[in-house]
Amino acid sequence: MESRGLRAALRIWVALVLVFLFLPIVLIVLYAFNPSNIQSWPITGFSMHWFSVAWHDPQVRSAFLLSLKVGLIATVLALVLGSCVAYALYKFRFFGREAISLLLVLPLALPGIITGIALNSFFSFTGIQFGVLTIVIGHTTFCIVVVYNNLIARLRRTPGSLAEASMDLGARGWQTLRLVTLPMAATAIVSGALLAFGLSFDEVIVTVFTAGAQNTLPLWIFGAIRLGQQLPEVNAVVTFVILLTIIPVVIAARIAAAAASPGQRATCRSVRASPGAEHGQYGNRPHARGSRAVT
């Protein structure tokens, strides 16, 4: 058992780590409410003035709408592509399966500047004009990884016997997917989508190489800080971005924590909806276990 002194030292260490991580964020939020245009401590008071300035700034509003648009489109594309490839790699065995799994993780493992330069060279070589399309493509490359990782981890924890039981009860492949697999993976899909949106909304490095003349909200913040202008307004915008980024992460964590016994609920739904259960028959239709299926 740990001594009292060791427990106290660990608590102090954890507190210092938390201060190191979150003190700069707390200072930015406090400066956002400072009515003065000079960042000095202590702040002279609390005011919403700079939030009003940021809201009525047309550059900030257009950059925010562009970031929102790109984030939503990239999230939808990542959901479709990431979910399909995760299910395919989980369900079937084929040549190159492990290589595909590795390649899917690379965009998130590689430094963002490498991905950005590669995409910039590709778009220049193919003659694609830089704009919203190129930003969406750049963001989708790493948003897919988030959705894929969340879903493949959930599918690997799902007992294969549940899908077999569903098919033994007469459910077809699409019925099993809709009534068993998707309900069990729903929370992983939603949390992956929320994390992907948060990651896309505050992306800077890849966006620098793919945006062209477009200006997303993180790029506007980066430019304003680099030029040293509008710092109080930047603090207000950064505070808003922090809130908008934290909310999806918190929701995703709550959804993941609340996902208790999804297999039992999905199996009950499958039993009620399967043709065999309706007629009180079991095993009335042989399920198709292909040689490539992974159980």
Side-chain angles (χ1 to χ4, degrees):
M1 181 179 293
E2 299 88 353
S3 64
R4 183 175 300 177
L6 179 59
R7 288 199 300 269
L10 289 175
R11 291 173 182 173
I12 294 173
W13 180 256
V14 171
L16 290 175
V17 171
L18 292 177
V19 169
F20 175 77
L21 291 175
F22 295 104
L23 182 59
I25 298 177
V26 173
L27 288 177
I28 289 177
V29 174
L30 290 177
Y31 279 135
F33 293 94
N34 186 10
S36 174
N37 58 357
I38 300 175
Q39 293 187 359
S40 60
W41 189 262
I43 60 177
T44 58
F46 288 89
S47 172
M48 299 290 291
H49 169 70
W50 297 112
F51 289 93
S52 177
V53 171
W55 176 254
H56 291 92
D57 189 335
Q59 292 184 352
V60 174
R61 297 180 69 172
S62 61
F64 167 73
L65 292 176
L66 179 59
S67 293
L68 190 64
K69 178 181 179 180
V70 169
L72 291 175
I73 297 175
T75 300
V76 171
L77 291 176
L79 269 179
V80 175
L81 299 177
S83 299
C84 290
V85 72
Y87 183 77
L89 293 181
Y90 162 76
K91 192 67 176 176
F92 303 103
R93 291 190 182 276
F94 51 87
F95 177 76
R97 179 171 174 263
E98 299 301 327
I100 293 175
S101 180
L102 175 63
L103 291 174
L104 285 170
V105 182
L106 278 182
L108 198 61
L110 289 174
I113 191 170
I114 302 299
T115 303
I117 292 175
L119 289 172
N120 183 280
S121 300
F122 173 77
F123 295 143
S124 300
F125 176 77
T126 55
I128 299 176
Q129 296 294 324
F130 290 94
V132 177
L133 176 62
T134 55
I135 301 175
V136 169
I137 294 174
H139 288 198
T140 305
T141 56
F142 53 81
C143 287
I144 289 177
V145 184
V146 177
V147 176
Y148 167 77
N149 282 338
N150 269 36
L151 185 55
I152 197 69
R154 174 63 56 80
L155 291 175
R156 286 171 178 170
R157 294 198 305 268
T158 302
S161 58
L162 297 177
E164 291 183 7
S166 172
M167 289 186 286
D168 281 336
L169 292 171
R172 296 183 178 88
W174 283 108
Q175 288 177 312
T176 300
L177 176 65
R178 181 171 60 90
L179 298 173
V180 177
T181 306
L182 288 182
M184 288 189 296
T187 53
I189 294 174
V190 173
S191 60
L194 292 173
L195 291 174
F197 176 79
L199 191 63
S200 171
F201 190 85
D202 62 3
E203 169 60 33
V204 175
I205 300 178
V206 175
T207 312
V208 168
F209 293 95
T210 58
Q214 302 292 325
N215 214 17
T216 62
L217 194 59
L219 289 187
W220 180 89
I221 295 172
F222 177 73
I225 293 177
R226 184 180 56 182
L227 297 176
Q229 301 174 351
Q230 304 170 296
L231 290 182
E233 184 180 354
V234 170
N235 291 330
V237 174
V238 169
T239 301
F240 175 76
V241 173
I242 290 173
L243 291 176
L244 196 62
T245 305
I246 288 177
I247 289 174
V249 175
V250 173
I251 295 175
R254 294 291 296 272
I255 290 175
S261 302
Q264 295 178 0
R265 295 194 297 267
T267 304
C268 292
R269 290 181 57 189
S270 177
V271 169
R272 290 196 301 265
S274 62
E278 293 176 0
H279 298 88
Q281 299 172 355
Y282 297 92
N284 61 332
R285 183 177 303 169
H287 59 275
R289 293 188 207 174
S291 58
R292 297 180 299 170
V294 179
T295 58

